[in-house]
Amino acid sequence: RYAKSVEEGRAAGLRSIEDAQRLGFDYFRIAAGGFCASDYDEWRQDPNAWWAAFDQMVKDAAAHNIRLIPSIAWFPYAFPDMANEPLGKLFDPTSASNQLLKQYTRELVSRYKDSPTILFWEVGNEFNNRADQDLTTLGTAQGGDTCNRNKVYTSADNYSSDQLAAF
């Protein structure tokens, strides 16, 4: 959702699909949602528009014989940020952030579970990168974490490999 409009986003996505086909690729991995919590505003406020845009992307890929590998939660902070919870809560099955991710996953997977365009699903992108780390040593969010609004990490953001495996 980094495009200024749905049309601009579709045009950019279609160029990527056409480039992949031209270069001989028959599948690629995609972020199946937003990066920051605000990127999901349309999903929460106008789910019909959100899913219509996603439907069009899947149709565009199918029309070019490209299969997709959707990464459902590309950036792990998005769902905790939507729920105003620390990152560590994402791995707690009773938390609001975990419930939001489950809701999004159910909607996405149930919508496309029979689509031959979906090669397979990925739950999250590189969630292991921050497991078993003391995120408090990072101080204030930097770089790719900038959508965390100058977030200061606390011990509640930490999570373990065991929590990730159970997730």
Side-chain angles (χ1 to χ4, degrees):
R1 297 289 185 194
Y2 296 108
K4 293 181 178 117
S5 67
V6 171
E7 295 79 22
E8 183 181 300
R10 178 170 184 230
L14 191 54
R15 279 192 306 276
S16 295
I17 290 167
E18 290 168 343
D19 287 347
Q21 182 186 41
R22 181 177 48 77
L23 293 169
F25 291 93
D26 55 3
Y27 66 91
F28 60 86
R29 181 173 167 244
I30 62 164
F35 190 75
C36 299
S38 61
D39 295 334
Y40 289 89
D41 286 349
E42 187 177 44
W43 168 63
R44 298 176 85 187
Q45 297 165 8
D46 188 359
N48 290 333
W50 176 274
W51 295 119
F54 208 103
D55 289 346
Q56 187 60 58
M57 178 192 57
V58 172
K59 287 177 189 172
D60 289 344
H64 290 82
N65 298 311
I66 299 290
R67 297 184 74 197
L68 303 173
I69 303 166
S71 182
I72 298 170
W74 188 264
F75 188 58
Y77 294 92
F79 290 92
D81 283 354
M82 278 188 269
N84 200 28
E85 294 180 333
L87 175 61
K89 285 290 193 181
L90 182 63
F91 305 98
D92 173 352
T94 65
S95 72
S97 53
N98 186 283
Q99 295 303 309
L100 277 169
L101 176 56
K102 285 178 182 174
Q103 177 187 349
Y104 185 75
T105 301
R106 271 191 305 274
E107 290 177 23
L108 178 67
V109 173
S110 65
R111 190 173 192 96
Y112 303 104
K113 67 181 170 43
D114 296 322
S115 172
T117 303
I118 305 301
L119 184 58
F120 60 86
W121 302 95
E122 176 185 60
V123 174
N125 175 49
E126 301 175 350
F127 282 10
N128 60 311
N129 285 355
R130 296 248 167 114
D132 303 316
Q133 293 185 30
D134 180 4
L135 299 182
T136 64
T137 63
L138 297 177
T140 302
Q142 310 255 340
D145 293 351
T146 55
C147 57
N148 285 315
R149 306 164 310 283
N150 296 317
K151 172 186 177 46
V152 175
Y153 294 104
T154 70
S155 60
D157 289 301
N158 295 338
Y159 60 95
S160 69
S161 294
D162 290 340
Q163 286 174 291
L164 185 58
F167 175 72

